[in-house]
């Protein structure tokens, strides 16, 4: 029997006209039990179809092994190389515990690339040497719009925050990112990974926005 923990997100908060509730589809979780026991990626390979026009990914508590940045790419299901051509950009801001604050120096724009989209700040993770201490985790969200369209290209946007360090200076940084994938073929898969190394911990939950 399902308990509250299992069903608490399975609620359509829209009105009788059918406007806008989030419906939980699935979740991927990696427990941080050992700094050397991670996974290479979080792959969502089912549940992305024409049931919903908007998909929402809630990112919580992700942490790398080392100092890395979180990325994502999409795929059509027939091409499983996660190399769909995309154009994207990033705006970033930071605030350090030494009082320094301002716009960040990381990110796009990136034009007509088949690489993974970097949508989070650089992050200090677990592991060794001591400079790779656990500084904190990252969280935020990513929207993927109309992935099943056979007419239009596929837009996305996200907002992510995280903690990191530049030497002894710890800081919080925020990324606001957006872009589009240059294909009219329906997208059915999303992969999240770090630019290098493993995901040592965290959770990503995929929701559909009801029509």
């Amino acid at each position: 029997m399902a308990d509250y923990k299992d069903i608490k997100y399975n609620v359509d908060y829209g009105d009788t006209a059918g406007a806008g509730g989030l419906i939980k589809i699935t979740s991927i979780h990696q427990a941080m039990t050992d700094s050397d026991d991670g996974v290479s990626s979080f792959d969502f390979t089912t549940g992305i179809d024409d049931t919903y026009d908007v998909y929402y990914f809630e990112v919580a508590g992700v942490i790398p092994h080392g100092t890395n940045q979180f990325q994502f790419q999409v795929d059509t299901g027939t091409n499983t190389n996660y190399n769909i051509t995309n154009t994207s950009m990033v705006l970033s801001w930071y605030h350090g515990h030494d009082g320094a604050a301002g716009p960040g120096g990381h990110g796009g724009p990136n034009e007509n690339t088949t690489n993974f989209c970097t949508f989070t700040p650089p992050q200090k993770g677990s592991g060794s040497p001591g400079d790779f201490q656990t500084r904190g985790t990252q969280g935020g969200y990513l929207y993927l719009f109309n992935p099943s369209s056979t007419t239009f290209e596929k837009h996305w946007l996200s907002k992510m925050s995280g903690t990191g360090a530049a030497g002894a200076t710890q800081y919080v940084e925020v990324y606001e990112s957006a872009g589009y994938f240059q294909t009219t073929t329906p997208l059915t898969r999303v992969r999240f990974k770090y630019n290098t190394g493993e995901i040592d911990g965290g959770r990503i939950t995929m929701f559909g926005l009801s029509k």
Side-chain angles (χ1 to χ4, degrees), residues 39 44 52 57 79 86 99 118-119 123 148 170 175 190 201 204-205:
V39 294
F44 293 85
Y52 305 103
F57 297 86
N79 167 35
N86 63 84
T118 298
F119 71 113
Q123 181 184 6
S148 295
Q170 298 184 46
Y175 264 37
V190 180
I204 300 179
T205 304

Side-chain angles (χ1 to χ4, degrees), residues 84-109:
I84 304 300
T85 301
N86 63 84
T87 294
S88 62
M89 54 84 65
V90 175
L91 298 175
S92 63
W93 297 265
Y94 73 93
H95 187 269
H97 72 191
D98 60 355
H106 309 288

Side-chain angles (χ1 to χ4, degrees), residues 26-27 52 62 67 74 110 123 145 161 167 174 176 189 201 207:
T26 188
S27 182
Y52 305 103
V62 293
T67 302
V74 297
N110 299 297
Q123 181 184 6
F145 299 100
S161 66
V174 174
E176 293 190 359
R189 302 174 181 225
F207 298 83

Side-chain angles (χ1 to χ4, degrees), residues 5 21 76 79 136 172-173 195:
K5 181 176 66 175
T76 61
N79 167 35
V172 61
E173 191 168 10
N195 61 309

Side-chain angles (χ1 to χ4, degrees), residues 3 7 21 36 52-53 59 77 80 83 107 112 117 128 133 147 150 166 187:
D3 60 19
I7 66 172
D36 296 318
Y52 305 103
D53 291 335
V59 183
T80 56
N83 60 355
N112 301 321
C117 301
S128 59
Q133 298 173 39
T150 58
L187 303 176

